[in-house]
């Protein structure tokens, strides 16, 4: 890898590649004295990326607190990222005129618009007074830095550069809305669902045939939160089969059906948690547990509700399970639905959110209860509707067994 004292980065709407590249160069033996963040100004049709540059600087400063002389980073604004003449003039006025004679400069042109990359590249290449110039980009397919002259110059950076999910969403001005929730009280319930998946053939389908969600809804159509919200017909219904077995596996204080399936008043009248668990939270716990045990080298997170400060108080989106391989995001959405249209909307959502946060390198997994033939249809449909993206994996009923789930995930992320 080359040595240089000036690093130039192009800051676009997703500064994750900038963070990875800067972090790598600051950890390797070189003499980086200054980092320049070239960003767009906010004007009319053009979205500014100064806020992205500021957030990038904040995280780099936290990660490299020992490099006090490096901060603050130098921010160079471009007035019009579509206009070659203005880009060149801005660079001459705000960057080239201030560089010390004989400095060694390196441009990583991964971020920013194509026009930014081309014209910043050309301007620096033609500039005088710079003793050495080098250029590179972070390849989204190989996860390696590729030097224009020397080719691939690093190993797979997913193995050396870890980014936390908190850092990743902070780059976008997002924050977590909820806190980690301990669901260990439902361990027996989770074990019940594991047995349906691993031991009893077709029993998971039998459970959902027995499970009538409407029995547990309030008058507005949402799951009841308190026992008083349950409809009278629920209290007059006798449940049986796998649904009754599931209730027997709940913590005792929340069982509002007895061993014969007849309604009884539970000790705990707040029933939101057990009903949500039976409705599908168990699948999130199951996927999280299986993959975390199967891939100890990856970092896993579960059930993050994410929002932006300026959004309405009730605005948010959720990612059920998050896997990070270094800095590569794999977002996982879990649904107990077996209806193609519902699963497709979930697929679009997880694709959108993972790309929004993790960029082109991100991947998305949709875990469903679809039969195999519909999994194939949905996988093909999502790929076709997203311009041929192969960064989505759809899993169905036959993929839920532990070993199969681990194997399908392994094939997808390698």
């Amino acid at each position: 890898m080359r040595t240089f004292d000036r690093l130039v980065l192009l800051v676009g709407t997703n500064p994750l590649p900038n963070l990875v590249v800067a972090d790598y160069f600051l950890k390797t033996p070189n003499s980086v004295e200054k980092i320049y963040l070239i960003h767009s100004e906010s004007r009319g049709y053009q979205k500014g990326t100064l806020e992205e540059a500021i957030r990038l600087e904040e995280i780099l400063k936290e990660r490299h607190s020992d490099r006090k002389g490096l901060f603050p980073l130098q921010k160079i604004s471009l007035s019009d990222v579509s206009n070659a003449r203005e880009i060149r003039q801005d660079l001459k006025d705000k960057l080239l005129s201030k560089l010390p004679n004989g400095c060694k400069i390196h441009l990583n042109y991964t971020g920013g618009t194509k026009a930014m990359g081309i014209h910043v590249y050309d301007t620096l290449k033609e500039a005088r007074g710079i003793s050495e110039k080098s250029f590179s980009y972070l390849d989204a397919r190989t996860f390696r830095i590729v030097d224009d002259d020397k080719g691939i110059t690093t190993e797979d950076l997913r193995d050396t550069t870890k980014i936390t999910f908190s850092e990743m969403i902070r780059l976008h001005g997002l924050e977590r809305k909820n806190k980690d929730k301990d669901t260990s009280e439902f361990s027996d319930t989770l074990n019940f669902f594991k047995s349906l998946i691993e031991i009893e053939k077709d029993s998971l389908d039998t459970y959902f045939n027995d499970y009538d969600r409407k029995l547990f809804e309030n008058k507005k159509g949402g799951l009841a939160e308190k026992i008083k919200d349950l409809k009278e017909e629920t209290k007059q219904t006798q449940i049986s089969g796998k649904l009754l077995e599931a209730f027997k596996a709940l913590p005792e204080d929340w069982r509002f059906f007895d061993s014969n399936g007849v309604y009884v008043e539970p000790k705990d009248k707040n029933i939101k948690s057990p009903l949500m668990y039976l409705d599908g939270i168990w699948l999130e716990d199951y996927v999280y547990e299986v993959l975390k045990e199967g891939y100890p080298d990856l970092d896993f997170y579960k059930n993050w509700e994410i929002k932006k400060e300026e959004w309405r108080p009730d605005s948010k989106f959720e990612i059920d399970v998050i896997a990070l391989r270094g800095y590569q995001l794999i977002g996982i959405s879990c649904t107990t639905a077996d209806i193609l249209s519902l699963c497709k909307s979930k697929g679009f959502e997880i694709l959108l959110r993972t790309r929004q946060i993790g960029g082109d390198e991100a991947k998305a997994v949709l875990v469903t209860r679809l039969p195999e033939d519909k999994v194939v249809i949905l996988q093909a449909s999502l790929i076709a509707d997203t311009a041929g993206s192969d960064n989505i994996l759809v899993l169905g009923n036959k993929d839920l067994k532990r070993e199969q789930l681990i194997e399908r995930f392994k094939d997808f992320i390698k």
Side-chain angles (χ1 to χ4, degrees):
M1 174 56 67
R2 301 174 185 271
T3 59
F4 49 86
D5 50 42
R6 300 291 188 275
L7 174 63
V8 180
L9 302 172
L10 308 182
V11 181
T13 54
N14 185 358
L16 179 59
N18 302 129
L19 176 57
V20 173
V21 169
D23 188 73
Y24 172 78
F25 282 131
L26 289 174
K27 289 189 298 187
T28 53
N30 62 58
S31 52
V32 176
E33 298 175 9
K34 294 289 182 183
I35 296 179
Y36 300 89
L37 304 179
I38 299 182
H39 65 90
S40 56
E41 293 179 8
S42 180
R43 49 180 290 187
Y45 56 85
Q46 177 176 288
K47 183 187 183 303
T49 55
L50 175 60
E51 290 185 5
E52 284 80 357
I54 291 172
R55 291 192 290 264
L56 171 62
E57 177 183 29
E58 289 172 351
I59 294 174
L60 282 172
K61 189 174 183 179
E62 291 171 4
R63 294 173 72 92
H64 299 278
S65 56
D66 58 321
R67 302 288 296 271
K68 299 188 186 306
L70 190 67
F71 300 95
L73 304 184
Q74 310 301 301
K75 301 173 195 68
I76 309 296
S77 64
L78 299 181
S79 54
D80 187 344
V81 296
S82 301
N83 188 306
R85 183 177 295 178
E86 290 199 32
I87 290 174
R88 288 173 177 272
Q89 192 60 52
D90 284 338
L91 288 174
K92 289 176 183 178
D93 295 342
K94 302 174 184 179
L95 175 61
L96 298 180
S97 64
K98 299 178 182 178
L99 290 176
N101 193 47
C103 66
K104 300 176 182 179
I105 197 164
H106 182 85
L107 167 66
N108 183 278
Y109 51 87
T110 310
T113 65
K114 289 181 180 178
M116 279 176 69
I118 291 170
H119 299 305
V120 173
Y121 187 106
D122 286 347
T123 303
L124 291 180
K125 199 157 193 175
E126 296 167 4
R128 297 181 178 181
I130 301 173
S131 64
E132 289 185 23
K133 306 166 188 175
S134 53
F135 306 88
S136 69
Y137 67 95
L138 178 61
D139 190 342
R141 294 169 299 173
T142 65
F143 306 94
R144 290 165 166 82
I145 292 177
V146 182
D147 186 276
D148 281 11
D149 295 326
K150 296 187 175 183
I152 293 174
T153 56
T154 69
E155 64 271 68
D156 187 330
L157 293 188
R158 293 176 299 177
D159 298 328
T160 59
T161 305
K162 284 195 171 187
I163 307 294
T164 68
F165 193 59
S166 292
E167 290 174 325
M168 198 171 281
I169 64 172
R170 279 177 59 199
L171 280 172
H172 298 276
L174 300 168
E175 61 184 0
R176 188 179 186 184
K177 184 177 180 180
N178 64 335
K179 295 181 179 180
D180 286 335
K181 187 174 182 180
D182 182 9
T183 57
S184 59
E185 58 195 337
F186 294 106
S187 58
D188 289 342
T189 320
L190 181 58
N191 286 334
F192 164 75
F193 284 106
K194 286 181 185 176
S195 72
L196 296 186
I197 293 171
E198 295 289 344
I199 302 171
E200 304 178 55
K201 182 175 174 57
D202 300 325
S203 288
L204 190 58
D205 286 337
T206 302
Y207 167 80
F208 280 98
N209 289 334
D210 294 336
Y211 175 76
D212 183 358
R213 191 179 194 274
K214 292 181 180 178
L215 278 178
F216 308 113
E217 291 178 347
N218 56 33
K219 293 179 180 179
K220 294 181 179 179
L223 286 175
E225 296 191 10
K226 297 182 182 298
I227 203 70
K228 64 181 178 62
D229 298 328
L230 287 174
K231 302 169 189 173
E232 282 304 312
E233 64 187 86
T234 301
K235 299 178 180 180
Q236 296 167 9
T237 299
Q238 185 172 5
I239 65 170
S240 59
K242 296 299 179 186
L243 179 57
L244 177 56
E245 291 181 33
F247 262 88
K248 290 178 180 178
L250 286 174
E252 187 174 353
D253 288 354
W254 276 319
R255 297 175 196 166
F256 53 88
F257 288 99
D258 66 17
S259 58
N260 297 313
V262 176
Y263 175 82
V264 293
E265 283 287 315
K267 294 179 181 178
D268 193 329
K269 304 298 190 291
N270 297 311
I271 56 173
K272 179 180 178 180
S273 292
L275 290 185
M276 287 183 65
Y277 205 83
L278 294 181
D279 195 56
I281 298 298
W282 67 266
L283 183 57
E284 297 176 19
D285 276 1
Y286 173 74
V287 170
Y288 172 81
E289 181 180 294
V290 168
L291 294 181
K292 189 174 182 180
E293 290 177 356
Y295 297 91
D297 293 336
L298 272 59
D299 294 319
F300 284 90
Y301 307 78
K302 182 177 63 174
N303 186 237
W304 275 48
E305 296 179 2
I306 300 166
K307 66 183 290 286
K308 209 165 192 173
E309 187 177 352
E310 58 264 33
W311 290 354
R312 297 194 318 268
D314 59 339
S315 295
K316 63 180 181 180
F317 65 87
E318 297 180 32
I319 301 182
D320 297 330
V321 180
I322 297 142
L324 283 178
R325 182 179 176 187
Y327 68 90
Q328 183 189 26
L329 169 64
I330 303 105
I332 305 169
S333 177
C334 304
T335 176
T336 55
D338 60 356
I339 299 171
L340 202 57
S341 58
L342 292 177
C343 293
K344 187 170 184 177
S345 66
K346 288 274 191 179
F348 278 127
E349 172 76 5
I350 192 63
L351 263 172
L352 170 68
R353 298 308 183 184
T354 51
R355 283 181 179 173
Q356 175 186 352
I357 297 170
D360 292 339
E361 300 93 333
K363 293 194 171 189
V365 179
L366 176 65
V367 182
T368 73
R369 287 199 311 110
L370 288 171
E372 186 174 2
D373 60 333
K374 290 186 177 180
V375 167
V376 173
I377 292 170
L378 180 54
Q379 178 92 40
S381 177
L382 287 170
I383 290 174
D385 290 344
T386 54
S389 169
D390 59 355
N391 280 6
I392 176 72
L393 172 67
V394 180
L395 302 177
N397 246 351
K398 79 175 187 65
D399 303 304
L400 293 181
K401 287 184 180 292
R402 184 180 186 279
E403 294 305 320
Q404 176 73 358
L405 181 58
I406 290 174
E407 192 62 28
R408 291 298 308 278
F409 192 76
K410 177 183 178 181
D411 291 340
F412 182 59
I413 66 170
K414 65 183 179 183

